[in-house]
Amino acid sequence: MNFKEKYGDYALITGGNAGIGAEFASQIAEKGLNLVLVARREDLLETKAIELTEKYNIKVKTIIADLSKIEEIKKTVNACNNIEVGLLILNAGMETHGIFPKLDLDKEIMSINLNITSSMALSHHFVNKMIPKKRGGIIFVSSLLGHMPTPYLSNYAGTKSYLLNFGNSLNGELKKFNIDVTVLSPGPTKTPMAESMAKGFIVPLDKLPMALHQPNFVAKVGLDALGKKPVVIPGIKNSILGKVGSRMPTNMAIKSGASMMEKFMNPEDLKL
């Protein structure tokens, strides 16, 4: 598939300066598309933009924005008024973990705004731009944990479940407008967010019952699935876990999820 012919000149990537988002940026730039990169860290954002511009001879627009804030979502939309974005990669996200009543409420609300509200609002805006052109593509970055109950990551798993259902539903709505929608649901991935999350675990990420993947592999799986699959979970082992977790009886899934997290997380994070 020729991405530039199918989706146009520009792709917008949230969280495009590190981890999976940075890999999306590199792989899409290699396909010849110009980029709009949105992230909070100006230093990382500009470094990535310079790297991509020099290596692939493309245009890169950077938007410094904290997408957990409604006004910053609007700022991002306004900054793209004169750019035709035909491919949208909604990758920015944050996680919190521990027993829910002890978690900081402000951070939980930030998580909902970043993981859910920014993805919904940006897709709403850019889909309205794609429909008259009768072409476009969206990748929502969910999580393997969005396919199953995950106690002690309750809010995070809930936000990722939203993206899974929302993306699947949009897939059904937007096919007739020639707009591709895929939900990418990675398991553990070697990213800064995963490293931060791992600090709350008493075992390394590669000892979890899920396969640990590199960001370049995860991004490639997502791009390869766009226009072909509504949902993709990178890796055979994680794909099987996702199917099993989503199909087992709810009581069993809850018990299994709680048992797994209680085994691997720092005991202090499980106490009130």
Side-chain angles (χ1 to χ4, degrees), residues 9-17 21 24-25 28-29 33-39 45 48-49 52-53 58-65 67 75-91 122 126:
D9 289 334
Y10 273 91
L12 184 147
I13 305 170
T14 64
N17 61 347
F24 269 125
I28 292 170
L33 277 71
N34 300 316
L35 296 172
V36 180
L37 302 181
V38 187
L45 202 55
K48 188 64 180 177
L52 295 172
T53 301
I58 61 165
K59 298 176 183 176
V60 181
K61 178 179 177 61
T62 59
I63 302 173
I64 303 158
L67 295 175
K75 168 187 167 182
T76 300
V77 166
N78 292 335
C80 296
N81 279 340
N82 298 318
I83 297 174
E84 185 182 325
V85 173
L87 179 58
L88 191 59
I89 311 292
L90 296 164
N91 165 78
L122 290 173
F126 287 107

Side-chain angles (χ1 to χ4, degrees), residues 135-152:
R135 70 176 185 182
I138 307 171
I139 294 178
F140 292 97
V141 180
S142 178
S143 169
L144 177 58
L145 300 184
H147 292 248
M148 62 193 74
T150 311
Y152 308 109

Side-chain angles (χ1 to χ4, degrees), residues 113-182:
N113 285 341
L114 180 58
N115 296 0
I116 294 178
T117 306
S118 70
S119 294
M120 181 276 294
L122 290 173
S123 58
H124 184 272
H125 173 79
F126 287 107
V127 160
N128 274 292
K129 301 290 186 181
M130 293 173 186
I131 286 174
K133 305 288 184 182
K134 291 197 180 301
R135 70 176 185 182
I138 307 171
I139 294 178
F140 292 97
V141 180
S142 178
S143 169
L144 177 58
L145 300 184
H147 292 248
M148 62 193 74
T150 311
Y152 308 109
L153 284 103
S154 300
N155 192 37
Y156 176 74
T159 64
K160 295 302 185 176
S161 292
Y162 172 92
L163 292 178
L164 176 62
N165 204 333
F166 181 55
N168 281 338
S169 301
L170 281 188
N171 184 295
E173 289 186 34
L174 300 178
K175 274 186 185 297
K176 60 188 174 185
F177 300 109
N178 196 34
I179 297 171
D180 299 326
V181 181
T182 291

